[in-house]
Amino acid sequence: MSASPEIDRIHADHALLGMRVQVVLRLFLAVFLVLAVLFDPPASWAALIWTVVGCYLVWAVATVFPARHPGPRTLRWAWSALFVDLAAVTAVAVLAAYSDTISWTSDVLLTGFALIPMAAATQLRPAICAAVAIPATVVFFGASVAARPANGEPWSLVLLHTLVIGGLAVGAIGISRLQRSRVETIAGLAADRARLLDDVLSVDRRARRDLAEALHDGVLQYVLSARGELGAVGRGDSAAADRVDEALRESSGLLRSTLTSLHPAVLEQHGLAVALGDLATSTAAPGLVVIVDTAAWPPGPSPIDEVLYATARELLTNVVKHARARRVEMTLEVDDDGGARLVVVDDGVGMPAEQVRPERLAARLAEGHLGLSSRRVRLAAVGGTLSFAERTGGGTVAIAAVPLPD
């Protein structure tokens, strides 16, 4: 699953919703213009004014179809229709202002400017919203000045009305920025989800392949060897019977070890603290001391035991294989925020910083190196994190943090 199509789809969905809201507001504006001119018809230039209003009404209705069946170009250029709205309201208001010596038509028409910033707020691009809303405020002021001789409005009211339209313009720009921020946040979460799902599926495929290889190269070989000796056993060869017994004993041991690594029974029966003690005992190598501190951990099983156990096993395995450490301290505790924290500290050679950066771990995962990369993915899937730091005096500090379920 690719994150990019998901992000594009989210942007397109929000752009389409914004365009449809814009069309609804445009229809309201068209109806408003018709009613304003109808209820208080102008004394002169009536034909010209009705022509402008009629053309705009047709234009508003015509934009409904692209909103119902939009294409990529329609979504990209939907904002440009706002300038047609602004031009239509300005033209009708100015013509009404000069159509009669005394008229309230232009004064009523000027309130239609309030819909322009609101329609501009539907855009996900604040710069375009500003390019529409700010000129709408300026044009409103100019149209109000032109209408003063007809409606006798004092300068103080002109300025106050302009201030209101300016406030709407500022609010529209803010709403546009807020919308864009939310859409980008949602798109980022969708991208993270898609990427995490890809990583989890990759981990599962690699884990199944490794399990199949382990069974094929280990248990299956012993079983085939025992099967090959059955003929000799049937002929009474005691040495062959001993070889069959040894092969079956080795295969049962390998199966038990594999099952324990997949899901140790002690983890389900006694909880993580006891399971970590058993893990430390089974992992300890010659010259390596593993100390486990679970005093601050509540007894019994919990829903996050499995993911923390697998993380501890991977960290200890890396220490044994690569760190050349003499001492490992493993601490399991509940932190001050109520989350679970597993801290593994060794006194080995340490890990190069570039090897544990998130992008490097992601690259290693893509290359098929599971290990720490898969642990980071698993922890992230339950809201956790895996971080590393250099230990004072040499060595590495690994911290796995997971939120505890309510």
Side-chain angles (χ1 to χ4, degrees):
M1 178 185 296
S2 175
S4 181
E6 183 74 7
I7 294 175
D8 293 341
R9 184 188 65 78
I10 291 173
H11 279 283
D13 288 347
H14 282 77
L16 175 59
L17 179 60
M19 187 177 72
R20 287 174 174 171
V21 173
Q22 178 181 318
V23 168
V24 171
L25 292 175
R26 181 173 297 118
L27 290 173
F28 270 107
L29 183 58
V31 172
F32 168 78
L33 293 179
V34 171
L35 294 178
V37 178
L38 183 65
F39 291 158
D40 189 7
S44 59
W45 298 351
L48 179 59
I49 293 175
W50 274 113
T51 300
V52 174
V53 172
C55 291
Y56 181 71
L57 180 61
V58 172
W59 153 262
V61 174
T63 59
V64 173
F65 180 79
R68 294 183 60 187
H69 307 282
R73 179 171 296 182
T74 303
L75 293 175
R76 190 179 304 117
W77 292 99
W79 58 270
S80 59
L82 294 168
F83 291 101
V84 177
D85 304 332
L86 180 59
V89 176
T90 303
V92 175
V94 172
L95 287 173
Y98 288 106
S99 67
D100 202 349
T101 306
I102 300 176
S103 174
W104 292 99
T105 306
S106 60
D107 190 49
V108 174
L109 289 170
L110 288 174
T111 59
F113 278 92
L115 291 176
I116 303 297
M118 293 300 97
T122 62
Q123 297 296 313
L124 293 178
R125 290 172 284 187
I128 291 177
C129 179
V132 174
I134 293 175
T137 305
V138 175
V139 172
F140 173 83
F141 177 75
S144 298
V145 172
R148 281 189 70 251
N151 57 31
E153 187 178 26
W155 280 106
S156 58
L157 291 183
V158 170
L159 295 176
L160 287 176
H161 288 161
T162 304
L163 181 63
V164 171
I165 299 298
L168 289 174
V170 172
I173 296 170
I175 291 173
S176 181
R177 293 191 62 178
L178 179 62
Q179 284 188 123
R180 184 175 183 86
S181 175
R182 287 179 175 177
V183 171
E184 289 177 347
T185 300
I186 294 172
L189 292 174
D192 291 341
R193 175 183 175 276
R195 186 165 50 250
L196 183 61
L197 181 58
D198 282 343
D199 290 344
V200 169
L201 292 176
S202 176
V203 168
D204 286 339
R205 286 193 298 269
R206 304 281 183 184
R208 288 195 298 269
R209 187 192 66 185
D210 290 348
L211 177 60
E213 291 177 353
L215 293 175
H216 178 272
D217 296 339
V219 176
L220 182 60
Q221 299 305 315
Y222 282 111
V223 171
L224 292 176
S225 176
R227 181 181 179 183
E229 297 287 352
L230 289 179
V233 173
R235 293 191 296 270
D237 188 344
S238 59
D242 292 339
R243 290 193 294 272
V244 170
D245 181 69
E246 176 65 21
L248 293 177
R249 189 163 47 249
E250 289 292 336
S251 62
S252 63
L254 287 173
L255 282 174
R256 188 179 298 108
S257 175
T258 301
L259 291 175
T260 300
S261 65
L262 290 175
H263 186 76
V266 67
L267 186 66
E268 187 171 311
Q269 296 172 1
H270 303 288
L272 182 58
V274 177
L276 287 184
D278 289 354
L279 177 65
T281 302
S282 63
T283 305
L288 176 65
V289 177
V290 181
I291 300 174
V292 179
D293 180 5
T294 58
W297 186 257
S302 71
I304 60 172
D305 286 353
E306 189 170 348
V307 67
L308 284 178
Y309 178 84
T311 302
R313 183 179 61 206
E314 181 62 34
L315 292 172
L316 284 178
T317 300
N318 274 277
V319 170
V320 172
K321 288 183 177 180
H322 309 295
R324 300 200 294 273
R326 297 185 301 274
R327 179 186 177 91
V328 180
E329 297 178 5
M330 188 161 50
T331 304
L332 184 64
E333 60 188 4
V334 178
D335 59 27
D336 296 336
D337 297 327
R341 186 167 62 179
L342 172 69
V343 182
V344 179
V345 182
D346 69 75
D347 61 354
V349 297
M351 299 180 66
E354 63 273 7
Q355 292 297 321
V356 294
R357 290 174 180 166
E359 61 272 16
R360 178 53 185 156
L361 289 177
R364 288 176 62 81
L365 178 63
E367 294 166 2
H369 303 288
L370 294 175
L372 297 177
S373 303
S374 65
R375 288 305 100 214
R376 187 185 290 271
V377 170
R378 295 292 190 185
L379 288 169
V382 295
T385 59
L386 179 61
S387 59
F388 298 87
E390 294 183 4
R391 174 179 175 270
T392 303
T396 303
V397 178
I399 301 176
V402 180
L404 283 171
D406 297 331

